[in-house]
Amino acid sequence: MTCVGSEADPLGMISDGAVLTEAGHVVWVGPSADAAAACRALDVLPGERVDLGGRLLTPGLVDCHTHAVFAGDRSAEFALRARGATYLEIAAAGGGIAATLGPTRAATESTLERLTVDRMQAARATGTTTMEVKSGYDLTVAGELKLLRVVGRAGARAGMSVVPTLLCHVVPPERKADRDAYVGELADVLVPTVATDRLATSVDVYCDEGAFTRDESERIWRAAVDAGLAVRGHVGQFSDQGAAELCAAFGALSVDHVEQVSDDAIAALAAAGTVAVMLPGACVQLRLPPPPVEKLRAAGVPLAVASDLNPGSSCSSSLPLQMWLATTHFGMTVEEAWLGVTRVAARALGLVDRGVLAPGARADLVVWNAEQPAAIPYQYGATLIDRVVTH
Ligand SMILES: [Zn+2]
């Protein structure tokens, strides 16, 4: 599967195909009968040849939305939720994001790094080779910078290509009385420092009930654009604050969640080329209504699928599991789900060198113990990975 497809064959399947790689990059893809001639034409020295025995070969999976750097355990909240408590009720009782702040702030950098490496290795075992990781569980300027540095180091140790993102998550409890000053600190100090120190390439803001208002979010996103950083948004998970339109106006790379989004915003997202990131694990676990996938599809908004790996609403790094939820609960096709964890996910991160098997792309490869792409969501929960190859 190349994920460089046409309308008739969105995944670009090549039966009995071959991939030539050199120096960590794909140099040729095509029918295996043509591989020897391609080697000669491209002047590629014959090296190691691996026969995959007819197994499915795909690009490495790209998880474009995770919160993988945190400490603490919130499984008790899962139990409460299973008994019927809502996200907002749990947050009001001191749970939710606030419950992760204490353990994360108290953890040493080396502990956070070890925890993050463990999560990245688990993700790699299910096929993920690129992982976006957001900060957002310290919420002080110094602490958020620390989390972003941890992400970079953990990626190097785990063999994971990482994309750190600054997430302005919520106003921390100790700053609720002076939230204007807090938002000013984010916009005027944290965002420019992240840009200067090259600790992240984009700024995400959680604009929703219980998080940042539309005006506060706008101030932070404007600071991001001024600092040369890309814009992303947690938007419309619980309520439509008009943030999706705002993201489109900023030319955002992605809006994520969008369970609640207006028709006008969908048109604006399509015009801006902004990716809508579907997070079915969190949506299903929180028992929220699904996003309007049909409307997004009809408008031509690109759809990515991500894990939303986080300690509260979606404590899983498995993209194959998200593909199953996307197809069974969100009404996405198998092809959409695959593109959502490969090519479109890379686009949500502003990357064009992965998520596809094509000349010039990184040679991040996954070999599956399956022959057809549908087998991966179909056999949900199964471990179908034969091997994951990165360089
Ligand atoms: Zn999230």
Side-chain angles (χ1 to χ4, degrees), residues 13-36:
M13 291 290 290
I14 301 174
S15 146
D16 194 12
V19 176
L20 293 181
T21 68
E22 192 177 45
H25 286 80
V26 174
V27 294
W28 179 86
V29 181
S32 45
D34 299 343

Side-chain angles (χ1 to χ4, degrees), residues 65 67 234 257 308:
H65 183 138
H67 305 255
H234 278 65
H257 289 292
D308 198 11

